[in-house]
């Protein structure tokens, strides 16, 4: 690679930002921005001894993507940087192709990160302006207008954007000075995409009129971020008081609050749970249709790929949960662990498990997830309709057809971890089976 003087401003800035980062993974697309950042990281490696890897996220959306991945591989090989190509599938229906590709990209990068590694991405000052204007177009509040943070978290890892204060023209000058080669993605010319339209049609005019427009936008984004941080600090105690040990949010605690404070707490609860930030209309629907629905209802609000549900005056944010009502799993022999569907874990015989009688000769064992009618359980004089029993035991509706039920032939013996029926009760001198549910 071409020589970089230790006094190079971009190199000095980068080294100051990544001080303390021993291991780095770069999201490397082969474009101008990430090519400059990779070049800088290789120079920083010579001075500080950091460990650098690079990953290309292969979306499969462009016919040239294979050749781009090969360009990245060769460049990394030339600079002796370990390289990986990460194929992803983009579900374009999830909020549009741009948002879906971004979500798939970060998910793949997060899964690829190694322990103690920091992820670096190459967004720059002009990208920040585009992100701010897109948030403005969506009608976002301060959280959205905060745009991109220079440093944030990605799961258990740090995500850093060290070029966020650097303009594109500065990156171009650097690349030309060091004779770098990079990929020009032809899809960046397609103005049907909002970001491309802003980049090609709007921002050049704004910058022509106001040369420091991008810097001013970055300051506004920073001020919005500071306001959000202040609100986080001021509302943290209230949010912790409203949150239950299982992550649910108390509706009764939100009731006496003003709508402004209530919605601010709901946003922070959703962010804490890892949900995408909803629009104001979605928040209003969350409150009206879920929190405030009639008491005997089982309301559900779809929020992107998640569901918001209510149980016992608490709100829960849940992943999609397909019904298992029709599933029947033979368990033979019981001595072997049984894998449950949909990542529910396994059932196994274990000394710490729930005690029930062993099956008699001629009784086949199966696991089901639904039953009906009146159920008589050990410890109660009278039988109860299964729906009433689930309610009394405090089982949320979404777990009622996902709790493994042990059947001998057609008789319900136990709901693992919940109850044993009279038909499954261990009588004197009967052999015992102890069943443990190891959840996934």
């Amino acid at each position: 690679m071409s020589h970089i003087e230790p006094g190079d401003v971009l190199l000095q800035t980068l080294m100051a930002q990544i001080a303390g980062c021993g291991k780095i993974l770069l999201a490397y697309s082969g474009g101008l921005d990430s090519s400059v950042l990779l070049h800088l990281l290789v120079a920083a490696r010579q001075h500080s001894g950091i460990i650098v890897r690079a990953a290309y996220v292969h979306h499969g959306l462009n016919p040239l993507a294979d050749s781009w991945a090969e360009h990245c591989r060769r460049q990394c090989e030339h600079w002796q940087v370990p390289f990986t190509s990460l194929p992803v599938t983009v579900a374009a229906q999830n909020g549009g192709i741009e948002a879906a590709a971004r979500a798939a990209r970060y998910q793949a990068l997060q899964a690829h990160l190694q322990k103690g590694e920091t992820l670096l991405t190459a967004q720059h000052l002009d990208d920040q302006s585009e992100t701010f204007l897109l948030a403005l177009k969506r009608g976002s509040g301060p959280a959205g207008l905060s745009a991109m943070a220079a440093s944030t978290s990605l799961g258990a890892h740090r995500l850093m954007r060290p070029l966020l204060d650097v303009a594109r023209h500065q990156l171009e000058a650097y690349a030309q000075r060091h004779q770098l080669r990079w990929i020009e993605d032809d899809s960046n010319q397609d103005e049907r995409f909002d970001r491309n339209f802003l980049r090609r049609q709007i921002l050049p005019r704004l910058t022509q009129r106001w040369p420091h427009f991008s810097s001013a936008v970055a300051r506004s984004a920073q001020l919005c971020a500071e306001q959000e941080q202040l609100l986080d600090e001021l509302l943290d105690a209230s949010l912790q008081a409203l949150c239950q040990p299982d992550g649910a949010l108390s509706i009764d605690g939100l009731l006496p609050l003003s709508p402004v404070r209530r919605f601010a707490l709901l946003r922070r609860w959703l962010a804490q749970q890892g949900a995408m930030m909803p629009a104001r209309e979605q928040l209003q629907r969350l409150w009206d249709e879920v929190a405030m629905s009639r008491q005997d209802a089982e309301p559900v609000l779809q929020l992107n790929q998640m569901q918001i549900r209510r149980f016992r005056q608490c709100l829960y944010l849940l992943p999609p949960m397909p019904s298992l009502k029709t599933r029947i799993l033979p368990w033979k022999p019981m001595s072997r662990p049984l894998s449950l569907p949909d990542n529910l874990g396994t059932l196994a015989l274990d000394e710490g498990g729930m005690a029930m009688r062993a099956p008699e000769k001629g009784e086949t064992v199966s696991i089901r997830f639904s039953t009906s009618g009146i159920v008589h359980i050990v410890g109660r004089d009278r039988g109860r309709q299964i729906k009433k029993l689930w309610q009394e035991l405090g089982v949320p509706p979404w777990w009622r057809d996902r709790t493994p039920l042990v059947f001998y032939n057609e008789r319900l013996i136990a709901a693992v971890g919940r109850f044993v029926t009279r038909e499954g009760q261990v009588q004197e001198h009967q052999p015992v089976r102890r069943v443990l549910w190891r959840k996934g």
Side-chain angles (χ1 to χ4, degrees):
M1 65 178 286
S2 57
H3 180 66
I4 306 181
E5 294 296 330
D8 184 284
V9 174
L10 282 184
L11 180 57
Q12 284 185 326
T13 302
L14 174 69
M15 291 185 67
Q17 289 181 290
I18 64 172
C21 297
K23 298 194 295 182
I24 286 172
L25 174 67
L26 171 66
Y28 180 40
S29 68
L32 169 69
D33 320 332
S34 61
S35 296
V36 169
L37 186 49
L38 179 59
H39 190 260
L40 287 165
L41 284 169
V42 173
R45 181 176 64 182
Q46 295 173 353
H47 296 289
S48 66
I50 56 171
I51 298 171
V52 180
R53 296 193 304 137
Y56 172 84
V57 179
H58 195 317
H59 299 94
L61 298 174
N62 193 299
L64 298 174
D66 287 340
S67 65
W68 295 343
E70 179 60 17
H71 165 88
C72 293
R73 186 194 65 77
R74 288 180 178 175
Q75 188 61 75
C76 287
E77 187 178 71
H78 179 64
W79 287 341
Q80 297 181 328
V81 174
F83 171 78
T84 308
S85 179
L86 304 174
V88 298
T89 301
V90 178
Q93 70 272 19
N94 295 339
I97 197 164
E98 288 179 283
R102 180 183 182 277
R105 183 162 58 251
Y106 278 102
Q107 187 175 9
L109 289 166
Q110 182 177 351
H112 186 61
L113 280 162
Q114 296 175 357
K115 185 176 181 180
E117 230 172 14
T118 298
L119 176 65
L120 263 59
T121 59
Q123 292 96 343
H124 51 75
L125 188 62
D126 301 66
D127 293 326
Q128 184 77 308
S129 295
E130 295 163 13
T131 303
F132 185 92
L133 291 173
L134 287 170
L136 198 63
K137 180 212 63 151
R138 292 193 299 267
S140 299
L145 295 175
S146 299
M148 294 180 287
S151 179
T152 185
S153 59
L154 184 67
H157 300 266
R158 282 182 74 196
L159 165 61
M160 297 182 67
R161 301 180 175 97
L163 301 181
L164 215 49
D165 291 330
V166 182
R168 181 179 174 85
H169 70 84
Q170 293 174 277
L171 298 177
E172 289 173 342
Y174 179 96
Q176 290 164 5
R177 188 162 70 248
H178 295 282
Q179 300 180 327
L180 302 185
R181 293 174 58 247
W182 65 88
I183 294 164
E184 291 288 357
D185 185 345
D186 57 341
S187 68
N188 289 336
Q189 313 300 312
D190 190 346
E191 294 180 10
R192 290 176 300 173
F193 296 122
D194 291 342
R195 190 175 285 276
N196 292 345
F197 172 72
L198 287 173
R199 181 180 302 144
R200 293 172 57 81
Q201 295 290 337
I202 305 303
L203 279 170
R205 297 184 186 184
L206 292 172
T207 305
Q208 185 179 18
R209 174 82 182 206
W210 301 293
H212 301 294
F213 179 79
S214 291
S215 297
V217 166
R219 284 198 301 275
S220 293
Q222 180 61 33
L223 289 170
C224 288
E226 289 175 6
Q227 291 297 311
E228 280 299 291
Q229 184 179 344
L230 177 60
L231 275 176
D232 285 343
E233 293 175 7
L234 293 174
L235 292 174
D236 182 65
S238 297
L239 183 60
Q240 297 310 313
L242 292 170
C243 282
Q244 309 303 303
D246 60 358
L249 189 69
S250 166
I251 294 172
D252 290 338
L254 291 169
L255 275 170
L257 305 180
S258 69
V260 171
R261 188 179 180 92
R262 182 186 303 141
F263 286 159
L265 286 163
L266 281 169
R267 286 192 191 95
R268 278 156 182 79
W269 173 68
L270 290 169
Q272 196 177 74
Q273 300 283 311
M276 290 181 66
M277 199 50 57
R280 177 62 182 264
E281 178 189 1
Q282 288 175 305
L283 275 178
Q284 191 66 56
R285 287 188 59 202
L286 187 165
W287 186 250
D288 294 341
E289 299 175 18
V290 181
M292 292 291 98
S293 63
R294 69 180 193 276
Q295 289 302 305
D296 61 343
E298 294 181 5
V300 180
L301 177 68
Q302 198 71 29
L303 188 65
N304 298 305
Q305 296 303 300
M306 305 293 280
Q307 292 180 345
I308 298 178
R309 304 184 70 160
R310 184 192 69 192
F311 180 64
R312 292 193 169 178
Q313 282 303 93
C314 283
L315 295 171
Y316 290 81
L317 183 71
L318 304 164
M321 292 185 179
S323 174
L324 301 174
K325 284 184 178 180
T326 60
R327 298 293 297 270
I328 299 178
L329 308 176
W331 192 6
K332 183 180 179 181
M334 286 185 78
S335 57
R336 293 181 185 171
L338 178 69
S339 294
L340 300 175
D342 203 34
N343 299 314
L344 283 175
T346 59
L347 294 182
L349 298 184
D350 189 281
E351 282 303 310
M354 172 180 274
M356 60 194 75
R357 70 172 177 84
E360 297 173 356
K361 186 176 181 180
E363 288 184 322
T364 58
V365 183
S366 64
I367 301 301
R368 309 180 190 187
F369 298 90
S370 178
T371 190
S372 59
I374 295 175
V375 177
H376 294 268
I377 70 173
V378 174
R380 296 204 181 185
D381 296 332
R382 295 184 302 165
R384 296 287 279 165
Q385 287 287 343
I386 186 63
K387 182 177 179 179
K388 294 288 187 183
L389 186 57
W390 286 133
Q391 290 173 351
E392 291 173 11
L393 294 173
V395 179
W398 52 92
W399 277 112
R400 295 174 192 174
D401 61 357
R402 297 173 67 79
T403 297
L405 306 176
V406 180
F407 275 77
Y408 293 169
N409 291 341
E410 297 301 313
R411 288 192 292 181
L412 175 63
I413 298 300
V416 183
R418 298 293 183 179
F419 60 78
V420 175
T421 66
R422 288 183 185 174
E423 291 84 353
Q425 186 173 13
V426 181
Q427 304 297 332
E428 193 174 358
H429 305 305
Q430 273 189 316
V432 178
R433 293 290 181 270
R434 294 185 177 273
V435 178
L436 182 67
W437 180 11
R438 295 189 179 97
K439 295 185 180 180

